[in-house]
């Protein structure tokens, strides 16, 4: 390990200001605080290879100027009284906390100098890039104190006093992936000019975060945010409540991993990850995008949905894409965090893979149009929707296409001549590389796609209680197989599991398909029993669920033929109302993948001899 020393770069006389945080800042702040603010799994980074002829002091000067040029690097984030911390269903009742951004005009930026002459670092470029990779693995996991610490952590690598490269690690509230690329490009241009004794280039004409916040509160911005929330409201009303309608212990065979409560150390994370480097998938994905005249993201979304659908038995994919929210040039060049989740609900049926991919294209474009919104307000809408539907919405399936080169013709041209022929693509599957990786996401399912020179890098982060190591491998290779087979033949959606090599789940017991998802009626009975245990009678009332006391669950049809779940309750005494029962069920729902709150509640005479005391439609 190279020796690290700490220097500081002073800056002064810069613009200052304070105001509400942007939608992008709020979204990322909430994502971090939801998961674990003590872990910095969100820190993006990028490196700049330095031109020759510079001194360490030259580079430090340019780093100081870099901080001056971008307000996001001089921004502190603070919570007002009330905070933004979340319960399971959204913002806590009565909290009024808001996030404020404050741009400082002066201060000291710490810079870490990594001496490659120490620690046995090998000479040459190989040693440099090994050192950068080692340092990146450290800084990307170091949390920032966003209220008191500048959100930039630069490391300058040098050998014998000659600066070689700079690694820029940034808090994700200050820059997303595009923002980091813009930051890297700016520093590269600045150091190149310095090495040639030229004037420093002007800063990019980009929108700063305080300007973005003013836009979002303007009449135009307010209309845009309101429209986005209405889109979310309409999608949430019909989206499947989860992509994983099975309890962890109910997953069949080796797909099941025991929950943490049965022996896993309390501090052990159930999350894990793996990566697949695939030239075949890269070629097939771009061939399909060009042939179908859709985006590569749509093709990836279709393949991912079909593979995951085969694993879960779900005919619809409910997933969050990541929307860049960079339409205007001033937004595209900004060093800022502007990304937010965009919800898609994709029907995985039809006659062909191409049909699914075209629907994915339409759905993703529609979602991207409404990717800018106040996430605090969205969470209130989610909570309202959950109460109305009697469910807990689990939107923990993420597909993030992070590839820089999105045009399929350009991407295909980067490969060797003849590499797009069917035999060559199929042969390339033998070169795919799979390996486990440390998990940095805390989602049930999060798939990332990134470019490498000749492959697409597919990384899947998963909750091992729902996708174990074998399932993660199967899904990644299943995506590859679906892409390759669809590129050179026709894949029907109902054949996706066979093509992907993924067996459909087995469901035993009383399962009901309703509102776009599977529900286990036995789990509903258990929910009622657990939620109302102190108030139920002692006798078993449900012949379908032996051992369940004071509860019966049945299915009836409404006027449109839609199934509705009815709960029959025999309380131990008077006083229980349908409203009480439903409220208790909603409170007990978190963490239950297969249950919902019943639609109707019938309260029977405690003695079991008289008529029902009341019935209410939820």
């Amino acid at each position: 390990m190279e020796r690290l020393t700490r220097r500081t770069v002073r800056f002064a006389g810069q613009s200052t200001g304070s105001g509400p945080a942007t939608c992008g800042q709020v979204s990322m702040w909430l994502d971090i605080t939801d998961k674990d603010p003590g872990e910095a799994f969100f820190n993006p980074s990028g490196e700049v290879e330095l031109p020759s002829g510079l001194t360490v002091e030259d580079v430090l000067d340019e780093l100081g100027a870099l901080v001056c040029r971008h307000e996001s690097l001089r921004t502190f984030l603070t919570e007002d009284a009330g905070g933004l911390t979340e319960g399971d269903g959204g913002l806590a009742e009565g909290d009024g906390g808001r996030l404020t951004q404050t741009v400082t005009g002066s201060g000291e930026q710490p810079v870490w100098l990594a001496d490659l002459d120490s620690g046995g670092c090998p000479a040459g470029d190989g040693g440099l890039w090994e050192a950068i990779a080692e340092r990146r693995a450290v800084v990307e996991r170091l949390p920032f104190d966003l209220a008191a610490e500048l959100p930039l952590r630069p490391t300058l690598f040098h050998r014998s006093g000659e600066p070689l490269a700079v690694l820029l690690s940034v808090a994700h509230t200050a820059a997303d992936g595009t923002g980091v690329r813009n930051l890297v490009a700016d520093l590269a241009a600045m150091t190149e000019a310095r090495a040639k004794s030229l004037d420093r280039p002007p800063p990019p004409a980009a929108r700063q975060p305080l300007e973005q916040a003013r836009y979002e509160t303007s009449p135009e911005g307010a209309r845009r945010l309101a429209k986005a929330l209405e889109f979310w409201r309409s999608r949430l009303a019909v989206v499947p409540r989860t992509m994983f309608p099975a309890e962890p212990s109910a997953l069949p065979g080796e797909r099941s991993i025991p929950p943490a409560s049965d022996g896993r150390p309390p501090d052990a994370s159930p999350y894990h990850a793996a990566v697949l480097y695939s030239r075949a998938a890269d070629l097939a994905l771009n061939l399909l995008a060009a042939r179908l005249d859709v985006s590569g993201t749509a093709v990836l979304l279709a393949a991912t949905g079909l593979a995951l659908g085969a694993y879960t038995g779900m005919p619809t994919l409910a997933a969050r894409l990541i929307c860049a929210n960079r339409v205007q040039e001033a937004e595209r060049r900004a060093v800022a965090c502007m990304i937010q989740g965009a919800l898609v609900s994709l029907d995985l049926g039809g006659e062909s893979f191409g049909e699914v991919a075209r629907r994915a294209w339409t759905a993703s474009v529609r979602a991207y149009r409404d990717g800018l919104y106040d996430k605090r307000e969205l969470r209130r809408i989610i909570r309202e929707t959950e109460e109305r539907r009697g469910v807990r919405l689990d939107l923990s399936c993420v597909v993030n296409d992070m590839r820089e080169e999105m045009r399929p013709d350009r991407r295909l041209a980067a490969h060797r001549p003849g590499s797009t022929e069917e035999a060559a693509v199929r042969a390339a599957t033998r070169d795919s590389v799979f390996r486990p990786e440390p998990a940095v996401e805390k989602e049930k399912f999060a798939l990332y796609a990134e470019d490498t020179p000749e492959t697409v890098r597919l990384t899947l982060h998963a909750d091992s209680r729902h996708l174990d190591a074998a399932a993660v491998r199967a899904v990644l290779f299943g995506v590859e197989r679906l892409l390759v087979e669809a590129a050179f033949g026709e894949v029907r959606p109902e054949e996706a599991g066979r093509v992907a090599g993924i067996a459909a789940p087995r469901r035993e017991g009383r399962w009901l398909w309703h509102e776009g998802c599977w529900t286990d009626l036995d789990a509903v009975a258990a929910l009622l029993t657990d939620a109302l245990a102190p108030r139920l009678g002692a006798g078993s009332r449900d012949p379908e669920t032996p051992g369940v006391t004071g509860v019966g669950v049945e299915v009836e049809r409404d006027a449109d033929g839609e199934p509705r779940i009815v709960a029959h309750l025999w309380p131990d005494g008077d006083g229980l109302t349908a409203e009480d029962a439903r409220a208790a069920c909603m409170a007990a729902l978190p963490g239950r993948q297969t249950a919902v709150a019943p639609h109707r509640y019938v309260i029977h005479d405690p003695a079991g001899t008289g008529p029902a005391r009341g019935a209410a439609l939820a």
Side-chain angles (χ1 to χ4, degrees):
M1 177 66 184
E2 66 279 357
R3 186 179 73 248
L4 291 173
T5 57
R6 187 177 185 273
R7 294 279 301 273
T8 58
V9 175
R10 285 202 57 80
F11 60 92
Q14 302 306 308
S15 58
T16 63
S18 182
T22 67
C23 289
Q25 289 170 331
V26 169
S27 282
M28 190 56 64
W29 176 281
L30 287 173
D31 284 347
I32 292 172
T33 54
D34 273 357
K35 293 177 180 179
D36 186 353
E39 293 187 26
F41 38 77
F42 279 124
N43 296 345
S45 64
E47 68 278 349
V48 179
E49 192 170 5
L50 297 171
S52 59
L54 297 175
T55 66
V56 167
E57 296 303 321
D58 290 336
V59 179
L60 292 175
D61 284 346
E62 296 307 312
L63 286 170
L66 188 72
V67 174
C68 293
R69 289 155 76 94
H70 302 284
E71 287 184 3
S72 64
L73 304 182
R74 297 182 277 113
T75 296
F76 301 109
L77 296 174
T78 54
E79 294 175 272
D80 298 337
L84 288 169
T85 51
E86 257 341 87
D88 183 84
L91 287 168
E93 289 294 336
D95 88 11
R98 289 296 179 264
L99 193 63
T100 297
Q101 56 171 321
T102 300
V103 179
T104 184
S106 60
E108 292 186 344
Q109 171 63 60
V111 180
W112 282 261
L113 272 59
D115 182 359
L116 299 183
D117 287 325
S118 65
C121 183
D125 287 347
L128 169 63
W129 297 111
E130 281 182 21
I132 290 175
E134 185 178 349
R135 179 63 175 164
R136 174 181 278 113
V138 173
V139 294
E140 288 190 347
R141 300 302 297 268
L142 290 175
F144 283 89
D145 182 351
L146 297 172
E149 182 181 359
L150 293 174
L152 173 66
R153 223 175 251 135
T155 304
L156 170 56
F157 296 84
H158 65 96
R159 189 189 301 276
S160 302
E162 179 187 2
L164 301 176
V166 174
L167 177 66
L168 300 171
S169 176
V170 188
H172 215 337
T173 51
D176 51 28
T178 301
V180 170
R181 289 193 289 272
N182 291 340
L183 190 65
V184 164
D186 196 25
L187 182 60
M190 294 165 64
T191 54
E192 185 69 27
R194 180 99 177 205
K196 294 178 179 178
S197 299
L198 300 175
D199 290 340
R200 185 178 291 144
R207 186 182 293 168
Q208 304 284 0
L210 282 172
E211 294 178 83
Q212 177 68 21
R214 287 192 290 270
Y215 164 74
E216 292 169 1
T217 56
S218 71
E220 177 186 344
R223 285 192 297 270
R224 183 176 171 185
L225 269 59
K227 178 174 174 288
L229 289 175
E230 282 306 308
F231 169 77
W232 273 90
R233 196 188 303 273
S234 68
R235 294 294 86 206
L236 291 169
V238 297
V239 73
R241 70 175 190 275
T242 180
M243 282 302 297
F244 299 93
E247 301 299 343
S249 59
L251 294 172
E254 64 178 359
R255 286 167 52 166
S256 176
I257 282 190
S261 60
D262 75 349
R264 188 191 302 275
D267 58 347
S269 171
Y271 300 96
H272 63 151
V275 62
L276 178 67
Y277 291 92
S278 174
R279 188 161 61 89
D282 187 50
L283 291 165
L285 187 156
N286 286 284
L287 285 167
L288 282 163
R291 188 179 81 209
L292 298 171
D293 194 25
V294 299
S295 69
T297 299
V299 173
L300 177 67
L301 186 63
T304 303
L306 288 169
L308 183 60
Y311 177 75
T312 62
M314 290 290 291
T316 303
L317 174 68
R320 286 180 289 132
L321 304 181
I322 304 302
C323 182
N325 287 321
R326 294 174 183 263
V327 179
Q328 301 172 0
E329 185 64 20
E331 295 168 339
R332 286 193 287 269
R333 302 184 70 180
V335 175
C337 180
M338 303 183 73
I339 58 172
Q340 293 188 262
L343 179 63
V344 295
S345 182
L346 176 62
D347 180 2
L348 299 173
E351 296 298 317
S352 66
F353 179 95
E355 184 179 339
V356 178
R358 290 187 182 96
R359 281 200 299 267
W361 167 242
T362 302
S364 59
V365 169
R366 178 67 185 86
Y368 287 146
R369 288 174 183 164
D370 291 308
L372 184 69
Y373 51 86
D374 185 336
K375 193 166 185 176
R376 296 162 299 194
E377 293 300 323
L378 172 61
R379 289 184 162 179
R380 293 187 178 94
I381 291 173
I382 290 174
R383 188 169 63 245
E384 292 168 0
T385 303
E386 290 175 331
E387 289 295 325
R388 184 169 59 254
R389 291 180 56 180
V391 302
R392 288 297 183 214
L393 292 172
D394 170 22
L395 303 177
S396 60
C397 181
V398 179
V399 179
N400 188 2
D401 190 350
M402 301 171 63
R403 295 172 303 138
E404 293 186 49
E405 183 49 77
M406 303 298 283
R407 289 187 53 177
D409 53 343
R410 289 186 182 176
R411 186 65 181 167
L412 290 169
H415 289 279
R416 299 184 296 272
S419 63
T420 59
E421 297 174 1
E422 181 176 356
V425 174
R426 292 189 181 278
T429 60
R430 296 193 292 268
D431 300 326
S432 298
V433 175
F434 173 90
R435 70 165 184 252
E437 280 202 347
V440 295
E441 286 286 3
K442 294 188 177 181
E443 302 281 1
K444 287 189 178 71
F445 183 100
L447 182 79
Y448 292 83
E450 299 170 89
D451 289 328
T452 75
E454 284 201 343
T455 73
V456 63
R457 183 182 193 267
L458 298 176
T459 306
L460 178 54
H461 298 265
D463 184 335
S464 63
R465 294 165 295 186
H466 296 276
L467 290 94
D468 65 10
V472 167
R473 182 185 181 93
V475 169
L476 285 172
F477 277 106
V479 169
E480 180 188 63
R481 292 189 189 107
L482 286 166
L483 290 171
V484 171
E485 294 302 322
F488 299 105
E490 197 51 80
V491 173
R492 295 178 63 85
E494 66 265 24
E495 300 173 339
R498 177 187 59 79
V499 173
I502 299 173
R506 299 186 305 273
R507 288 190 171 87
E508 300 175 354
R510 295 193 298 162
W511 288 88
L512 175 69
W513 176 259
H514 80 117
E515 296 187 1
C517 199
W518 290 103
T519 296
D520 182 359
L521 296 179
D522 293 340
V524 175
L527 167 69
L528 288 160
T529 302
D530 293 344
L532 299 169
R535 307 184 68 174
L536 294 177
S540 176
R541 307 286 181 166
D542 189 354
E544 300 269 9
T545 54
V548 175
T549 61
V551 166
V553 175
E554 65 177 0
V555 177
E556 64 182 15
R557 301 281 169 173
D558 64 14
D560 297 325
E562 293 298 317
R564 291 291 181 263
I565 300 172
V566 181
H568 292 270
L569 303 173
W570 285 264
D572 186 12
D574 296 330
L576 180 65
T577 67
E579 292 74 18
D580 293 339
R582 190 174 194 277
C585 285
M586 290 300 297
L589 260 182
R592 299 173 188 260
Q593 295 293 117
T594 60
V596 299
H599 300 86
R600 200 159 72 89
Y601 300 81
V602 180
I603 313 298
H604 293 268
D605 176 63
T609 57
R613 291 190 289 108
L617 185 65

